């Protein structure tokens, strides 16, 4: 991290170590000795810094990548100022890395904000409730500074209803709101957004915790303005309470630009048919409950007709409470599908077979392991264009039987050679299967293998899984994200440090056997941004081995390892611009030298002022 010119970027790559400087030639572009003499020997025309910055601003408008803009801002002071004045999209990967005031001062003309809060392990209930990441100070500051703000994307933030009310009343041009894995708000906040954001183009609520008490539910869908809307995307499958289905149907009918609609489990197939008839232009559909309520009756024929008339569909999800007899109704759209999400549907291989046999253009597939290895064989035989596969566990407990294994993984690697991203939960794995994938799928960018159960070896040989993961980092040169599990020794981490030169995110669970493994990673992966470790035997020595690298990382999370309070304190003393948080689960942990949870991240503004009592900032 450059202290004198801090970046607000995801990766903090800066100029990749190159010392680039550009000095404009005040008289032109030709070298002085070749410059033609003017007819009249007079002073050259003025070329002020202001003129230069105006020219730069017009040029920088063509830079859309935040990484390119970060690099441009490091060239010189003029470029730094011009880039700040022209940046319309701001990405902040950690809401505590910079204050709202500092961000606003640096970038005064922002139209779009991406803001992330809690570390990812919050998804596994490892971050205590009340830890922080409140949206309140951000929206309060932006309401004054950014009157033309149009888009907000929040992930793992705590968003209060009052925040949504302020947002809805402060930005007259507001168009897009995406809340991912957020908490703290209710249908009252959604009602404020629906009612006051008159130009709303997308409202995407994904995997949030929205649970109202029955007597406090607000009919937020009815609050959208009457008349034609600008809606292009409406996603609310995570909302845990019923919506006004008549108002929803009316809203869909007066939204001619709607392309994406994902409804919650309180919408059954009877209403779904009516929604599809109202919006035949939809390309992305989340079906809600793929069954009929008792009072609705059987809608099999209507559902078949609805899908037969929905030729534009390319993405299907939902399928909660699946009635297997309804599954064939989606056959008419399968040939066009590029994305299919069955992660909420407990379907068998036999039920999957006739669907997947029609999905030759599929690029993204999410399923439960209830499809077994047999189902994955069918996927491998049909989906030759597959780019992303996620296989989730039906039973995520450590001692579950598990329904997919190395056999399914090997089949996918043999049949889906264009695969770029995989998340695979299983109970049994072999080095041979992982090695096969590393050879067949060398375009892999993301490889996340989660062997459930602690310290599981190769189930055929009994050997550690070192060689398999080593082959992945060695053969897959484009790999940027890796999750490792199973029985791993320091040898595996040696491979990662040696070959994982492009890795940006590494997740470790129940793996390793000494501090040497952690030091291999910290000293060998120059682009590493995010390192998250749980239940592994790494201690103070491993932690201290990365002191020279933490300023270049976005964060480090370690839980249930072998850290001590003293070791964390040493890191804090050596790196004063690093926020070092020790998180205690119980009050009695105050007198204990061992550290249960450590969260470290770079910060430009020092310790945060909203830490709860169970968080100690060193």
């Amino acid at each position: 991290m450059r202290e004198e010119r801090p970046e607000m970027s995801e990766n903090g790559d800066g100029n990749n170590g190159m010392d680039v400087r550009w000095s404009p030639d005040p008289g032109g572009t030709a070298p002085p000795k070749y410059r033609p003499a003017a007819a009249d020997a007079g002073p050259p025309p003025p070329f002020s810094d202001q003129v230069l910055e105006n020219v730069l601003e017009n040029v920088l408008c063509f830079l859309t990548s935040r990484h390119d803009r970060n690099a441009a801002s490091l060239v010189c002071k003029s470029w730094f100022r011009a880039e700040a004045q022209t940046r319309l999209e701001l990405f902040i990967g950690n809401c505590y890395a910079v204050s709202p005031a500092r961000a606003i001062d640096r970038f005064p003309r922002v139209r779009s904000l991406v803001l992330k809060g809690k570390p990812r392990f919050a998804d596994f209930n490892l971050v205590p409730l009340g830890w922080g990441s409140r949206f309140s100070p951000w929206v309060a500051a932006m309401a004054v500074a950014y009157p033309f703000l149009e888009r907000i994307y929040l992930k793992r933030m705590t968003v209060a209803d009052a925040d949504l009310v302020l947002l809805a009343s402060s930005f007259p041009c507001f168009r897009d709101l995406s809340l991912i894995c957020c908490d703290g708000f209710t249908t009252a906040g959604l009602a404020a957004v629906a009612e006051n954001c008159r130009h709303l183009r997308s409202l995407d609520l994904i995997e949030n915790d929205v649970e109202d008490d029955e007597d406090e539910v607000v009919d937020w869908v009815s609050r959208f303005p009457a008349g034609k809307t600008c809606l292009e995307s409406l996603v609310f499958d995570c909302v845990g309470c019923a919506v006004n289905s008549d108002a929803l149907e009316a809203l869909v009918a007066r939204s001619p630009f709607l392309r994406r609609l994902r409804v919650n489990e309180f919408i059954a197939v009877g209403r779904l048919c009516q929604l599809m008839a109202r919006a035949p232009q939809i390309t992305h559909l989340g079906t809600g409950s793929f069954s009929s309520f008792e009072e609705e009756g059987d809608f099999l024929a209507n559902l078949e007709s609805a899908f037969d008339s929905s030729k534009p569909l390319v993405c299907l999800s939902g399928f909660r409470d699946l009635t297997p007899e309804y599954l064939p109704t989606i056959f008419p759209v399968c040939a066009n599908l590029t994305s299919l999400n069955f992660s909420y549907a407990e379907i068998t291989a036999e039920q999957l077979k006739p669907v997947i046999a029609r999905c030759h253009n599929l690029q993204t597939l999410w399923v439960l392991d209830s499809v077994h290895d047999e189902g994955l064989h069918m996927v491998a035989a049909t989906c030759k264009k597959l780019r992303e596969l996620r296989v989730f566990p039906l039973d995520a407990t450590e001692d579950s039987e598990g329904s997919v294994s190395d056999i399914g993984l090997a089949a996918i690697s043999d049949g889906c050679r264009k695969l770029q991203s995989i998340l695979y939960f299983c109970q049994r794995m072999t080095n041979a299967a992982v090695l096969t994938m590393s050879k067949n799928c060398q375009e892999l960018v993301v490889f996340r293998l989660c062997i459930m159960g602690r310290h599981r070896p190769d189930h055929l040989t009994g050997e550690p899984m070192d060689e398999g993961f080593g082959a992945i980092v060695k053969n897959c040169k484009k790999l940027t994200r890796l999750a490792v599990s199973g029985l791993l020794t320091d040898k595996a981490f040696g491979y990662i440090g040696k070959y994982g030169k492009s890795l940006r995110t590494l997740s470790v669970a129940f793996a390793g056997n000494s501090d040497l493994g952690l030091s291999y990673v910290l000293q060998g992966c120059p682009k590493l941004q995010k390192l998250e470790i749980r239940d592994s035997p790494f201690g103070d020595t491993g932690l201290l081995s990365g002191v020279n690298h933490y300023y270049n990382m976005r964060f480090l999370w370690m839980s249930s390892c072998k850290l001590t309070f003293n070791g964390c304190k040493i890191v804090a003393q050596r790196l004063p611009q690093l926020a070092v948080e020790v998180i205690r689960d119980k009050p009695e942990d105050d007198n204990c030298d061992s550290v249960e949870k450590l969260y470290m991240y770079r910060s430009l503004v020092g310790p945060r002022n909203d830490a709860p009592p169970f968080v100690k900032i060193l």
Side-chain angles (χ1 to χ4, degrees):
M1 185 195 310
R2 293 175 178 268
E3 298 178 21
E4 72 279 7
R5 195 166 294 151
E7 300 175 39
M8 298 171 195
S9 68
E10 177 179 13
N11 297 316
D13 294 338
N15 55 9
N16 294 320
M18 295 184 293
D19 186 15
V20 182
R21 293 291 183 271
W22 176 66
S23 298
D25 183 0
T29 57
K33 63 181 180 180
Y34 295 114
R35 187 176 303 124
D40 298 313
F47 195 75
S48 68
D49 287 344
Q50 184 60 51
V51 173
L52 173 61
E53 289 189 19
N54 290 340
V55 173
L56 279 175
E57 288 182 13
N58 288 325
V59 173
L60 290 172
C61 287
F62 293 97
L63 286 183
T64 56
S65 165
R66 66 173 182 269
H67 304 293
D68 291 341
R69 296 189 71 97
N70 291 339
S73 71
L74 296 175
V75 172
C76 63
K77 289 183 178 180
S78 293
W79 285 56
F80 179 81
R81 289 192 297 266
E83 193 282 318
Q85 291 295 319
T86 57
R87 184 174 294 214
L88 302 180
E89 300 179 359
L90 180 59
F91 177 98
I92 299 177
N94 181 348
C95 64
Y96 290 122
V98 64
S99 67
R102 184 161 184 165
I104 289 169
D105 182 63
R106 167 83 186 274
F107 303 107
R109 299 180 182 178
V110 167
R111 300 286 182 91
S112 173
L113 172 70
V114 176
L115 183 64
K116 298 186 178 183
K118 303 178 188 73
R120 193 184 67 91
F121 274 5
D123 297 347
F124 303 96
N125 298 319
L126 293 179
V127 178
L129 291 175
W131 174 80
S133 68
R134 294 183 305 112
F135 182 50
S136 301
W138 287 91
V139 70
M142 292 188 302
V144 177
Y146 294 151
F148 300 107
L149 194 69
E150 297 179 357
R151 176 178 180 263
I152 292 179
Y153 173 107
L154 304 178
K155 190 169 186 178
R156 300 191 186 96
M157 297 288 293
T158 295
V159 183
D161 284 337
D163 299 336
L164 295 180
V165 170
L166 180 59
L167 180 153
S169 61
S170 300
F171 309 116
C173 302
F174 195 77
R175 295 175 180 270
D176 303 296
L177 177 63
S178 297
L179 303 178
I180 319 293
C181 301
C182 295
D183 58 24
F185 64 96
T186 69
T187 52
L190 299 180
V193 173
E195 185 173 8
N196 296 307
C197 297
R198 297 281 172 160
H199 304 287
L200 198 63
R201 188 169 52 191
S202 65
L203 177 59
D204 294 341
L205 311 171
I206 302 173
E207 296 186 25
N208 301 290
D209 182 15
V210 188
E211 297 282 353
D212 287 15
D213 292 334
E214 188 172 345
D215 57 342
E216 295 180 353
V217 174
V218 177
D219 182 8
W220 61 278
V221 174
S222 298
R223 299 293 184 88
F224 282 91
K228 186 182 294 186
T229 78
C230 303
L231 272 180
E232 297 177 10
S233 177
L234 179 61
V235 175
F236 63 94
D237 51 351
C238 66
V239 176
C241 50
V243 298
N244 184 331
S245 52
D246 289 332
L248 177 62
E249 185 177 340
L251 174 63
V252 170
R254 63 179 191 273
S255 302
F257 306 109
L258 191 66
R259 293 293 181 268
R260 180 165 58 173
L261 175 66
R262 285 166 50 182
V263 300
N264 65 4
E265 59 186 325
F266 294 91
I267 301 295
V269 294
R271 184 64 69 171
L272 180 67
C273 293
Q274 296 170 343
L275 293 172
M276 294 173 69
R278 294 286 192 177
Q281 78 279 3
I282 284 180
T283 59
H284 296 62
L285 177 65
T287 65
S289 178
F290 210 61
S291 60
S292 57
F293 299 150
E294 290 183 6
E295 62 273 16
E296 288 187 322
D298 188 2
F299 280 86
L300 182 60
N302 291 350
L303 200 57
E304 288 177 346
S305 176
F307 278 106
D308 195 46
S309 302
S310 299
K311 299 302 183 184
L313 277 178
V314 296
C315 177
L316 264 181
S317 61
F319 302 102
R320 298 169 187 259
D321 302 320
L322 174 70
T323 298
E325 290 76 19
Y326 289 165
L327 207 50
T329 62
I330 71 172
F331 288 173
V333 300
C334 286
N336 292 331
L337 289 182
T338 59
S339 177
L340 180 60
N341 184 346
F342 278 144
S343 62
Y344 289 101
E346 186 181 344
I347 61 174
T348 65
E350 202 59 35
Q351 294 164 349
L352 178 67
K353 182 177 180 180
V355 176
I356 214 68
R358 293 168 167 82
C359 297
H360 295 279
N361 291 310
L362 209 60
Q363 296 182 21
T364 300
L365 175 64
W366 293 13
V367 293
L368 290 175
D369 61 6
S370 58
V371 301
H372 293 258
D373 289 331
E374 182 185 354
L376 296 180
H377 271 282
M378 300 171 193
V379 173
T382 305
C383 306
K384 301 301 181 181
K385 299 179 181 179
L386 198 66
R387 300 292 196 276
E388 178 184 351
L389 174 66
R390 298 192 186 190
V391 182
F392 297 96
L394 182 62
D395 180 0
T397 58
E398 291 184 23
D399 55 353
S400 63
E401 289 295 326
S403 303
V404 297
S405 67
D406 54 294
I407 297 173
L409 187 75
I412 290 294
S413 66
D414 186 53
C416 306
R417 303 280 180 121
K418 296 181 179 180
L419 200 66
Q420 296 175 355
S421 174
I422 184 168
L423 170 62
Y424 197 86
F425 283 86
C426 64
Q427 288 282 7
R428 302 179 306 280
M429 186 50 58
T430 63
N431 282 301
V434 181
L435 178 62
T436 300
M437 175 154 280
S438 75
K439 292 180 178 179
N440 292 344
C441 304
Q442 296 191 10
E443 295 298 307
L444 276 173
V445 177
V446 176
F447 184 79
R448 293 192 284 168
L449 177 58
C450 303
I451 305 173
M452 295 182 294
R454 305 186 182 210
H455 314 299
R456 295 282 176 92
D458 182 315
H459 80 96
L460 292 181
T461 67
E463 295 293 320
M465 290 295 300
D466 297 343
E467 298 302 325
F469 284 106
I472 287 289
V473 292
K474 183 177 181 180
N475 296 329
C476 303
K477 306 295 186 184
K478 299 179 181 179
L479 198 70
T480 62
R481 184 173 184 179
L482 175 67
V484 299
S485 54
L487 181 61
L488 295 176
T489 70
D490 291 338
K491 187 176 182 181
F493 294 97
Y495 286 138
I496 293 172
K498 183 176 181 180
Y499 298 110
K501 302 304 180 184
S502 296
L503 271 186
R504 295 186 180 278
T505 302
L506 176 62
S507 304
V508 180
F510 309 104
N513 55 5
S514 79
D515 286 320
L516 190 60
L518 181 56
S519 65
Y520 283 147
V521 170
L522 289 171
Q523 297 176 21
C525 301
K527 295 184 178 180
L528 193 63
Q529 288 290 296
K530 296 178 279 187
L531 177 57
E532 42 195 28
I533 304 171
R534 60 170 297 186
D535 297 275
S536 298
F538 304 132
D540 293 346
T541 302
L543 177 68
L544 293 171
S545 69
V547 164
N548 294 329
H549 306 279
Y550 293 138
Y551 273 157
N552 296 321
M553 294 171 58
R554 194 200 294 180
F555 73 78
L556 167 68
W557 169 279
M558 296 179 70
S559 59
S560 300
C561 295
K562 294 185 177 180
L563 299 175
T564 68
F565 188 84
N566 186 57
C568 298
K569 191 174 182 179
I570 292 174
V571 174
Q573 290 171 343
R574 292 189 185 180
L575 303 174
Q577 286 193 304
L578 199 69
V580 181
E581 296 192 5
V582 173
I583 303 172
R584 303 181 296 275
D585 289 330
K586 302 175 183 178
E588 53 267 28
D589 291 345
D590 283 346
N591 300 321
C592 182
D593 186 52
S594 63
V595 171
E596 174 61 23
K597 296 172 183 174
L598 170 69
Y599 182 45
M600 301 195 314
Y601 52 90
R602 59 190 182 193
S603 175
L604 304 178
V605 290
R608 59 188 176 110
N609 57 13
D610 64 347
F614 56 80
V615 172
K616 185 175 183 61
I617 301 179
L618 305 183

